[in-house]
Amino acid sequence: MYTQSLDLAGPPQAEADPETDRVIHRDTRQAAFDARIAADAKIEPQDWMPDAYRKTLVRQISQHAHSEIIGMQPEGNWISRAPSLKRKAILLAKVQDEGGHGLYLYSAAETLNVSRDDLVEALHTGRAKYSSIFNYPTLTWADVGVIGWLVDGAAIMNQVPLCRCSYGPYARAMIRICKEESFHQRQGFDALRAMMGGTEAQRAMVQDAVDRWWFPVLMMFGPPDAASPNSTQTMAWGIKRISNDDLRQKFVDATVEQARVLGVTLPDPGLQWNEARGHYDFSPLDWDEFRRVLNGDGPCNRERLATRVRAHEEGEWVREAAMAHARRRNGDDSGECDAR
Ligand SMILES: [Fe+2]
Ligand SMILES: [Fe+2]
């Protein structure tokens, strides 16, 4: 769901090992790294890793963190308009979970020697990407249910394999995140089922939301494998375990039956069971739209980014207060406020 490009490692170099003060050849370290990957063992922050592996992880984990944080907005719009106290409490918890996911992931990225301030700056200036799906509008309450059912459903499909990612801090963050995503998917399906048992107007609202979200959701898995040249390397490194096209197919196959139970029609005339393949066929996706939205020109890109930057600026006093509190606890603030 999060695309990444690749910087290839340079030729082997010699460097000093800070612990032993001996010159260690990078190709020896590369061999140790390769052996760990081949044995399906975890790479931890203190382990040597190729620069390209580190850069790819920083890019992927930070894009993932940005997606979680920006992803709070489409549903956050509906907290004050939820149709009941129960739905409001569920939605509040869900949006708060997404904020927590962003924080775990920024922390995982920081173990790779990058600063959170730099990552946030890259998001705010438009240099960093986040998932294209969060640039679509939430027009009705049914959109909130459809986001839970389909967007969180697609996120689970994409993220469960990341629990086995070769980089330890990312894999461990994903285990907890996936448990919470499972609740997100269920609450969305449950909200839609309630609406489908309601009035004709409510059923029409659900169908309209499904019609608008279905194709953008399928694009969450990223470009077709043939157009993802970097996937081969990220799979060889054990970061990515299943290709974009295979994940997309798994999602379509699983969702068709859920749509039938719900009583909605997936808006693709090309969607049909292919006996020979043992999978559902579906129509080609509009990759021009995907690129346009990813590159900043979707229906809500400007609004999402402006809201995020404003929230960051308005939260400045909170960060300052937290830092002052931390200094005070550490006993290294001699300011007047420090009197106890
Ligand atoms: Fe999440
Ligand atoms: Fe979620």
Side-chain angles (χ1 to χ4, degrees):
M1 139 181 187
Y2 313 107
T3 53
Q4 60 262 183
S5 59
L6 174 69
D7 301 299
L8 290 174
Q13 298 167 16
E15 58 185 56
D17 182 320
E19 283 177 17
T20 62
D21 218 19
R22 281 180 313 177
V23 171
I24 303 282
H25 285 281
R26 184 166 284 202
D27 49 5
T28 311
R29 292 175 167 185
Q30 178 77 53
F33 171 85
D34 291 344
R36 289 187 77 78
I37 295 287
D40 220 5
K42 292 277 179 273
I43 306 296
E44 297 296 340
Q46 67 274 17
D47 294 334
W48 182 89
M49 62 189 80
D51 289 344
Y53 178 82
R54 181 188 301 274
K55 282 182 184 166
T56 297
L57 279 170
V58 168
R59 191 175 300 116
Q60 178 166 339
I61 299 173
S62 62
Q63 284 175 1
H64 194 163
H66 300 329
S67 302
E68 300 281 359
I69 298 291
I70 295 278
M72 297 168 76
Q73 292 185 36
E75 291 167 291
N77 284 335
W78 281 90
I79 291 173
S80 60
R81 292 174 286 169
S84 69
L85 180 59
K86 175 182 145 188
R87 295 291 171 199
K88 187 182 184 114
I90 292 171
L91 187 58
L92 264 172
K94 198 259 190 195
V95 172
Q96 189 170 303
D97 281 354
E98 306 299 7
H101 297 174
L103 298 183
Y104 308 153
L105 290 164
Y106 283 127
S107 298
E110 283 177 307
T111 65
L112 291 157
N113 284 338
V114 287
S115 89
R116 188 179 304 201
D117 287 347
D118 289 346
L119 299 178
V120 168
E121 163 91 4
L123 172 66
H124 290 180
T125 53
R127 279 185 289 121
K129 302 254 187 290
Y130 58 86
S131 180
S132 58
I133 196 71
F134 301 117
N135 293 310
Y136 290 87
T138 40
L139 304 181
T140 71
W141 173 252
D143 290 43
V144 173
V146 168
I147 288 178
W149 174 39
L150 296 180
V151 175
D152 289 278
I156 293 169
M157 200 60 89
N158 190 59
Q159 291 173 0
V160 165
L162 289 173
C163 297
R164 294 186 291 116
C165 164
S166 59
Y167 188 58
Y170 193 25
R172 290 189 287 273
M174 292 317 303
I175 290 169
R176 179 162 176 180
I177 288 174
C178 283
K179 286 181 182 162
E180 293 177 348
E181 296 298 358
S182 171
F183 149 66
H184 298 171
Q185 202 258 359
R186 281 156 172 248
Q187 66 81 36
F189 192 80
D190 183 66
L192 294 178
R193 208 160 48 174
M195 291 183 79
M196 291 303 286
T199 64
E200 201 49 55
Q202 285 176 302
R203 280 190 286 278
M205 199 184 281
V206 173
Q207 184 61 57
D208 173 65
V210 171
D211 291 348
R212 284 182 286 107
W213 287 91
W214 177 247
F215 290 109
V217 163
L218 293 189
M219 292 185 216
M220 282 174 65
F221 295 97
D225 294 347
S228 307
N230 301 327
S231 289
T232 312
Q233 179 63 81
T234 48
M235 287 179 80
W237 275 330
I239 296 174
K240 191 179 178 128
R241 299 286 182 172
I242 305 177
S243 80
N244 295 355
D245 285 338
D246 288 350
L247 284 169
R248 192 168 10 248
Q249 183 71 64
K250 270 166 72 86
F251 177 77
V252 170
D253 291 348
T255 308
V256 168
E257 178 60 16
Q258 294 169 13
R260 196 189 61 73
V261 170
L262 204 52
V264 295
T265 306
L266 296 175
D268 180 1
L271 187 68
Q272 56 183 346
W273 179 252
N274 182 322
E275 192 66 47
R277 289 201 313 122
H279 293 290
Y280 281 93
D281 288 337
F282 52 94
S283 299
L285 302 172
D286 182 353
W287 294 109
D288 286 342
E289 174 183 326
F290 173 76
R291 275 185 288 276
R292 217 168 40 243
V293 177
L294 197 66
N295 289 324
D297 205 16
C300 302
N301 293 60
R302 287 163 197 82
E303 183 189 329
R304 299 285 185 248
L305 213 49
T307 302
R308 173 90 285 277
V309 171
R310 193 171 63 246
H312 189 73
E313 287 169 356
E314 288 175 356
E316 178 74 42
W317 70 272
V318 179
R319 292 190 295 279
E320 277 176 8
M323 294 301 288
H325 180 66
R327 281 195 300 273
R328 182 170 165 169
R329 283 185 67 136
N330 291 336
D332 56 0
D333 189 340
S334 55
E336 277 179 23
C337 303
D338 207 25
R340 271 176 257 200

